[in-house]
């Protein structure tokens, strides 16, 4: 990867009135990477993108796109970006093809109808070219939003939760599209709540929590750095405090009906778990051991579930 | 320029495909003529210029902002703000489409008056009337822009616009002659924006002449128009108020 910085965010503080949405955030996105912004609802992901997009003026700090300061010359920075906002709203009552044409034109890029069809084909929307955008299904609208985002052939693409409304199959298809855009040499920043999405797509991720970046690195590096233990998964109902007190157990939580136990010594922990279950007259089903993933990193860093332990 | 043309085409298509907007802009003015014609068919010479201004007033204060407010509320304006399109081009394109629609509406009313109620129209009268109609439209639309800027939501803007519209409608010598008003009100009305337009359009259309106060009336309208435009530009928002 060449070390050319496409986006620099330097000590940005952003606020809505009295609410501080971003608190001294700094980030660099390099040319040609897929960069993920990961964080819970309200963490500040959309606000961070808005600062890059020139839609939100930071209270402090600066944002550069392709070396140009967004505050100083927002037209020049907007020109380099392809944008999909979290809330999709294009122009009403226009067809799919008309929308692509108009949005490209707003960047002074004038597409022929042939070029429009080529673009729509990538997003499997050719048959819908003359359909009004508001008559598309949610997933089709999301694909259209992406087609519109790259209509101006941008070098940097900012995607705010591009897969949030998609079924698992469509989500995979969207991943393929994102990878294609990446293979064409574009730099991509995307936000997501889905850890497996970040792991699958992103070369690096920044984990944001309550307006702060709590970690920024390659997913595998984050997992390695935190020296997380493997996770023991089981379907069983046991009181968490008692599970946490078991030998070999360093953390425990419930995700849905599954008990997840972090342990450096899986055998010892499993034995202890069985003993506890027997004592409480509960049955254990579906035991499995899995390697730590980004989800665990996230929980560890943001301290949500694990905070209960202390 | 090419960008401006493509954008303006898109705005026009959006207008033409919106049935609700089409009804209010093109069917409603004709209905107005039928209604007034049914009530006072013998006064239609006096009424037709009044209906033109009445319609321009409701269009300028309310309808001309509707699509912009909808775009603001749905987040379309924010999406457009993320593109390098200068705000001035967006607003210019929007205004152009709306001015054309406003002028078309007035033409519809003139045609309806001439065909249905034999209102006398002649070329020299129309040549004088159209600039006056345009002048009025611009002033009313600028005032509508101020209302859009002040109102938090589209619904509130419509309510405020309609209130102003109804107040001006009855007192501006469009439906009821001025001498039906109490004296104190009669002294205020000439300084409000609708009365001068009604005066200018009526004498232009019917007598092909300018009334004696035309210069001061047009100066007043220009002051309203320019003042409101400056305020509207200051108040322009890409997003609805939180
Ligand atoms: N327009 C706004 N006015 C006031 N507060 C806002 C506005 N937009 C966001 N906020 C607040 O700023 C904080 C960050 O919001 P932001 O939308 O950036 O979060 P996010 O990480 O994108 O969340 P999500 O995953 O739910 O999209 C939140 O507390 C939110 O309530
Ligand atoms: Mg968001």
């Amino acid at each position: 990867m060449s070390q050319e910085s496409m986006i620099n965010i330097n000590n940005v503080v952003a606020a809505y009135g009295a609410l501080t949405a971003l608190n001294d955030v700094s980030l660099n996105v390099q040319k040609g990477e897929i960069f993920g912004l990961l964080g819970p609802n309200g963490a500040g992901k959309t606000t961070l993108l808005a600062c890059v997009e020139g839609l939100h003026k930071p209270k402090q700090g600066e944002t550069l796109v392709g070396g140009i300061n967004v505050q100083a010359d927002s037209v020049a920075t907007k020109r380099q970006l392809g944008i999909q906002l979290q809330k999709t709203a294009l122009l009403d009552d226009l067809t799919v093809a008309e929308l692509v044409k108009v949005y490209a034109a707003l960047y002074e890029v004038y597409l022929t109808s042939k070029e429009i069809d080529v673009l729509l084909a990538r997003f499997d929307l050719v048959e819908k070219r003359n359909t009004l955008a508001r008559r598309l299904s949610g997933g089709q609208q999301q694909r259209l939003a992406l087609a519109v985002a790259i209509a101006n052939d941008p070098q940097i693409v900012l995607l705010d939760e591009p897969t949030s409304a998609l079924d698992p199959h469509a989500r995979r298809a969207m991943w393929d599209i994102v990878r294609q855009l990446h293979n064409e040499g574009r730099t991509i920043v995307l936000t997501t709540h889905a850890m497996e999405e970040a792991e699958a797509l992103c070369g690096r991720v920044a984990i944001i929590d309550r307006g702060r970046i709590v970690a920024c690195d390659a997913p595998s590096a984050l997992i390695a750095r935190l020296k997380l233990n493997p996770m023991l998964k089981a379907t069983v109902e046991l009181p968490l405090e008692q599970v946490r007190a078991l030998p070999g157990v360093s953390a425990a939580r419930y995700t849905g009906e599954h008990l997840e136990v972090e342990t450096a010594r899986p055998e010892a922990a499993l034995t202890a778990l069985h003993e506890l279950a027997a004592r409480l007259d509960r049955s254990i089903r579906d035991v499995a051991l899995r390697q730590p993933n980004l989800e665990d990193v996230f929980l560890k860093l943001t301290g949500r579930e694990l905070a209960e332990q202390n | 320029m090419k960008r401006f043309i493509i954008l303006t085409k898109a705005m026009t298509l959006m207008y033409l495909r919106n049935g609700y907007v089409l009804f209010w802009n093109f069917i409603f003015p004709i209905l107005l003529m039928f209604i007034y014609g049914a009530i006072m068919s013998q006064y239609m010479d006096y009424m037709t210029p009044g209906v033109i201004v009445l319609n321009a007033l409701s269009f300028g204060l309310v309808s001309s902002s509707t699509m912009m407010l909808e775009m603001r509320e749905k987040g379309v304006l924010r999406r457009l703000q993320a593109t390098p399109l200068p705000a001035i081009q967006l607003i210019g394109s929007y205004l152009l489409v709306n001015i054309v629609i406003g002028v078309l509406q007035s033409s519809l009313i003139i045609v309806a008056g001439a065909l249905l109620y034999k209102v006398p129209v002649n070329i020299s009268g129309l040549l004088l009337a159209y600039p006056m109609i345009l002048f009025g439209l611009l002033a009313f639309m600028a005032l509508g822009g101020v209302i859009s800027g002040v109102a938090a939501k589209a619904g509130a803007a419509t309510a405020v616009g309609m209130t102003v519209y109804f107040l001006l409608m009855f007192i501006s010598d469009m439906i009821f002659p001025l001498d039906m008003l109490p004296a104190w009100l009669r002294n205020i009305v000439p300084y409000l924006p609708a009365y001068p337009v009604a005066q200018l359009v009526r004498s232009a259309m019917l007598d092909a002449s300018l009334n004696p106060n035309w210069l001061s009336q047009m100066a007043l309208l220009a002051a309203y128009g320019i003042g409101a435009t400056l305020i509207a530009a200051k108040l322009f928002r890409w997003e609805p108020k939180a």
Side-chain angles (χ1 to χ4, degrees):
Chain A
M1 197 197 301
S2 68
Q3 287 296 299
E4 188 185 335
S5 225
M6 296 304 266
I7 298 174
N8 303 76
I9 296 162
N10 301 326
N11 306 102
V12 162
V13 177
Y16 300 99
L19 185 143
T20 303
L22 294 175
N23 201 341
D24 195 21
V25 168
S26 297
L27 269 186
N28 286 312
V29 177
Q30 307 300 327
K31 185 179 170 66
E33 69 175 332
I34 303 184
F35 191 95
L37 293 173
L38 207 58
N41 288 131
K45 304 179 294 295
T46 300
T47 306
L48 186 56
L49 289 183
C51 291
V52 178
E53 290 157 347
L55 298 179
H56 187 97
K57 189 173 178 292
K59 225 166 97 178
Q60 281 171 41
E62 58 170 15
T63 321
L64 308 177
V65 174
I68 302 171
N69 191 315
V70 177
Q71 291 304 315
D73 189 353
S74 71
V75 171
T77 58
K78 285 171 181 174
R79 246 176 225 293
Q80 305 175 56
L81 300 175
I83 282 173
Q84 184 210 27
L85 298 181
Q86 182 170 4
K87 206 174 131 235
T88 303
L90 302 167
L91 291 158
D92 284 342
D93 292 311
L94 292 187
T95 68
V96 168
E98 285 164 355
L99 274 171
V100 170
K101 185 187 162 100
V102 172
Y103 273 92
L106 297 182
Y107 291 80
E108 293 176 291
V109 172
Y110 305 107
L111 300 177
T112 63
S113 56
K114 203 167 193 171
E115 287 166 330
I116 292 172
D117 280 346
V118 170
L119 179 62
L120 291 179
R122 294 184 66 167
F123 298 93
D124 200 15
L125 285 170
V126 180
E127 294 91 84
K128 299 285 178 190
R129 74 186 311 285
N130 296 321
T131 305
L132 291 182
R134 62 182 156 80
R135 302 235 167 92
L136 296 178
S137 75
Q140 289 165 342
Q141 283 183 6
Q142 201 131 17
R143 293 208 300 272
L144 172 61
L146 207 52
V148 165
I150 64 157
N152 58 317
D153 195 18
Q155 281 312 298
I156 305 171
V157 184
L158 308 179
L159 307 174
D160 202 351
E161 299 194 16
T163 63
S164 59
L166 302 180
D167 65 44
H169 174 75
R171 172 173 293 210
R172 300 287 153 143
M174 187 65 86
W175 290 3
D176 285 339
I177 292 174
V178 171
R179 289 193 187 103
Q180 269 179 40
L181 297 177
H182 175 241
N183 288 339
E184 293 164 7
R186 299 180 214 267
T187 307
I188 294 164
V189 179
L190 58 86
T191 75
T192 180
H193 296 278
M195 308 298 151
E196 88 274 10
E197 181 164 291
E199 274 180 347
L201 281 179
C202 301
R204 286 196 305 150
V205 297
I207 295 180
I208 308 186
D209 187 43
R210 300 192 190 100
R212 286 181 186 279
I213 306 246
V214 293
C216 177
D217 209 332
S220 56
L222 286 176
I223 293 165
R225 175 139 45 96
L226 289 177
K227 297 198 174 53
L228 293 172
N229 295 316
M231 303 293 290
L232 200 56
K233 262 180 101 165
T235 308
V236 59
E237 263 181 65
L238 293 171
L240 276 179
E241 315 83 65
Q242 295 193 35
V243 174
R244 283 171 184 149
L246 295 175
V249 171
S250 47
R253 63 171 182 264
Y254 270 102
T255 53
E257 57 173 356
H258 300 292
L259 175 67
E260 291 204 320
V261 174
E262 187 190 334
T263 171
R265 294 180 289 136
E267 290 86 4
L270 188 58
T271 310
L273 213 54
H274 273 295
E275 283 169 12
L276 177 64
R279 225 177 326 133
L280 298 175
D281 203 19
R282 306 275 159 81
S283 67
I284 300 187
R285 286 174 290 123
D286 309 328
V287 179
L289 189 70
R290 67 164 176 81
Q291 288 309 304
N293 59 22
L294 215 44
E295 186 105 41
D296 307 314
V297 172
F298 179 76
L299 286 173
K300 186 132 225 162
L301 287 173
T302 62
R304 283 293 130 85
E305 302 263 342
L306 299 177
E308 293 169 10
Q309 209 174 331
N310 307 324
Chain B
M1 195 57 200
K2 194 167 179 188
R3 163 164 74 179
F4 186 81
I5 293 168
I6 291 177
L7 178 63
T8 307
K9 261 195 201 163
M11 296 256 193
T12 310
L13 280 175
M14 285 165 68
Y15 242 118
L16 294 178
R17 286 179 188 158
N18 189 328
Y20 174 80
V21 169
L22 272 187
F23 172 83
W24 281 107
N25 283 321
F26 294 111
I27 310 295
F28 189 67
I30 306 282
L31 284 180
L32 268 184
M33 282 299 279
F34 276 118
I35 293 166
Y36 287 114
I39 307 170
M40 31 192 148
S41 56
Q42 68 273 41
Y43 299 117
M44 285 314 273
D45 290 8
Y46 166 83
M47 287 299 303
T48 301
V51 174
I52 290 174
V53 179
L54 202 65
N55 178 71
L57 189 61
S58 71
F59 177 75
L61 292 180
V62 181
S63 310
S64 67
S65 318
T66 305
M67 200 164 92
M68 186 62 97
L69 289 166
E70 266 180 20
M71 289 199 289
R72 185 169 85 187
E73 224 132 281
K74 286 183 182 159
V76 176
L77 284 193
R78 195 168 165 80
R79 180 66 186 80
L80 293 174
Q81 189 193 7
T83 74
L85 176 76
I88 189 91
Q89 281 203 32
L90 172 68
I91 294 164
S93 163
Y94 185 81
L95 287 180
L96 180 63
V97 173
N98 278 280
I99 289 166
V100 170
I101 289 168
V103 171
L104 279 177
Q105 291 181 349
S106 305
S107 307
L108 268 179
I109 294 168
I110 293 171
V111 170
L115 293 182
L116 298 172
Y117 305 107
K118 314 234 167 357
V119 175
V121 286
N122 57 68
I123 298 294
S124 51
L126 287 182
L127 281 179
L128 202 54
Y130 267 101
M132 302 299 165
I133 293 170
L134 189 62
F135 217 70
L137 261 176
L138 291 174
F140 297 154
M141 281 170 63
L143 291 168
V146 174
I147 294 172
S148 308
V150 174
K153 292 261 165 69
T158 305
V160 174
M162 287 311 273
T163 308
V164 176
Y165 166 70
F166 273 116
L167 288 177
L168 290 177
M169 164 174 161
F170 291 114
I171 62 175
S172 300
D173 194 14
M174 292 189 280
I175 304 173
F176 305 116
L178 207 55
D179 49 27
M180 288 175 72
L181 300 179
W184 64 271
L185 195 52
R186 227 180 301 155
N187 292 330
I188 301 174
V189 164
Y191 299 101
L192 300 178
Y195 174 81
V197 185
Q199 294 288 301
L200 290 165
V201 172
R202 183 173 291 123
S203 60
M205 218 180 119
L206 301 180
D207 312 328
S209 74
L210 291 163
N211 73 55
N213 296 324
W214 71 275
L215 203 58
S216 60
Q217 287 181 336
M218 290 194 68
L220 180 72
L221 284 176
Y224 269 114
I226 293 168
T229 302
L230 293 176
I231 296 170
K234 195 111 196 118
L235 294 176
F236 180 79
R237 280 180 284 120
W238 295 92
E239 285 171 90
K241 272 184 196 153

